[in-house]
Amino acid sequence: MHRLALLLAVARPCGALRVASRRAFGAAAAAAAFDPAAARGGEVDDALRSFNGGDYEASLRQWTALTARRPEDALCWGNRGTLELILGSKASTLGAAPTGAARDLLESSVASFSRSVALAASDDALAWNNLGNAQAVLLRWDAAARSYDRSLAAALANERALASIPASNRAQAALELGDAGDAERRAANLVRRDPNFVDGRALLAAIRFERGDRAGAEEAYAALCVPTVTSPNGLSPPKRGLGGSDWCELYSTVDVVVGRWTPRTLDAYARFLASRDAKARVAADTRPFQRF
């Protein structure tokens, strides 16, 4: 089952469950840090306590009640959407149209996040990203792509540390929409901007293989195994990157991306890995390669 992979952090006045997808899909991994100073009242405390305790059904009921009492609070709507997204995606398989209660939860999540971004004083990169996630699980790739575009623009303007998340999501949405050329351009831009975003290197390998560029896929994969990353502009000193033998081995199977990547991206990466020589399945040619 392919479900949403979520990184959750609590902050800001309504005790927001701010959600960033490492890619849209994988088992819900809640790592919420409650900031007591951010909460307002016992109801919020209770809702956060339920969430942190893993009782998502109770937390959803509590956030739903809070949206009824605070209909103009963007963060409460975002929190409600987060719980609907977790529960709806848990009952869904990515690539198959959700049905029944799962579909209802995901439709409600789209509505909640839409309300949240409409009420927010400025574009919230995480809220837009998670709206895209809910739309993606519903297989609405055009709508998801637009939401990821808004998320990326907001992140680049205000929260650059988050920009790689919607950038990766947007590249994969392009692949689902049948535009592999656009997907490659976006993935290449992603690793130029953030050479330490290891997932982006594997993503670029998958997309290049999908386009029939075996050599380019191997080059991108080799970058996973290089422990030092040269500055994209060639002017700054090399920086210690996230590549190396551990990452090289980790990404030598699809397990690391199963549940986190979209269907076409996952399929392309699985075929790329299967096409490689068994003896080279973990190792890669780490001789000097062209910067992306």
Side-chain angles (χ1 to χ4, degrees):
M1 179 174 292
H2 295 192
R3 302 189 298 269
L4 241 67
L6 305 175
L7 294 178
L8 301 152
V10 177
R12 306 195 301 178
C14 200
L17 308 178
R18 304 206 68 203
V19 181
S21 171
R22 297 177 62 135
R23 172 48 232 162
F25 318 103
F34 171 50
D35 178 3
R40 294 194 302 234
E43 291 175 323
V44 171
D45 286 348
D46 291 343
L48 290 169
R49 190 175 299 111
S50 295
F51 175 81
N52 288 333
D55 191 347
Y56 297 146
E57 289 84 359
S59 189
L60 175 56
R61 291 192 297 271
Q62 291 159 326
W63 285 115
T64 299
L66 281 162
T67 57
R69 293 181 179 86
R70 304 175 183 180
E72 303 305 312
D73 194 320
L75 297 175
C76 285
W77 282 103
N79 291 350
R80 173 176 167 174
T82 295
L83 273 302
E84 291 162 339
L85 181 54
I86 291 172
L87 293 170
S89 57
K90 281 178 66 177
S92 303
T93 299
L94 188 62
T99 59
R103 180 186 60 201
D104 293 343
L105 280 164
L106 291 164
E107 294 282 8
S108 186
S109 179
V110 168
S112 294
F113 281 123
S114 296
R115 182 73 178 269
S116 178
V117 297
L119 289 170
S122 60
D123 273 357
D124 186 319
L126 291 175
W128 276 108
N129 182 74
N130 289 306
L131 174 56
N133 290 344
Q135 292 162 331
V137 181
L138 287 164
L139 306 183
R140 297 172 186 167
W141 296 110
D142 281 311
R146 291 192 294 272
S147 295
Y148 293 143
D149 281 336
R150 290 291 294 268
S151 175
L152 179 57
L156 290 174
N158 304 308
E159 300 178 86
R160 292 190 70 88
L162 301 175
S164 294
I165 295 168
S168 175
N169 290 348
R170 182 61 179 88
Q172 294 185 63
L175 195 62
E176 295 297 328
L177 289 167
D179 194 341
D182 183 48
E184 181 178 359
R185 178 183 65 80
R186 291 177 180 278
N189 285 341
L190 164 60
V191 296
R192 285 193 193 99
R193 183 171 56 242
D194 187 358
N196 289 340
F197 190 64
V198 176
D199 228 48
R201 305 184 196 182
L203 173 61
L204 184 58
I207 294 171
R208 284 178 171 172
F209 187 82
E210 178 73 1
R211 299 196 72 197
D213 181 4
R214 174 69 178 273
E218 287 287 349
E219 180 183 67
Y221 183 78
L224 280 167
C225 307
V226 176
T228 300
V229 179
T230 301
S231 164
N233 61 21
L235 300 177
S236 303
K239 297 185 294 183
R240 186 70 179 176
L242 294 178
S245 59
D246 290 345
W247 289 105
C248 193
E249 183 170 1
L250 181 64
Y251 279 85
S252 66
T253 75
V254 297
D255 292 348
V256 69
V257 294
V258 166
R260 298 196 296 109
W261 282 8
T262 64
R264 288 191 64 178
T265 315
L266 178 62
D267 177 68
Y269 195 59
R271 287 185 285 108
F272 164 66
L273 292 176
S275 74
R276 305 185 74 238
D277 185 282
K279 294 180 180 179
R281 197 62 57 82
V282 173
D285 183 0
T286 58
R287 291 175 296 180
F289 55 89
Q290 295 293 320
R291 290 195 302 273
F292 300 118

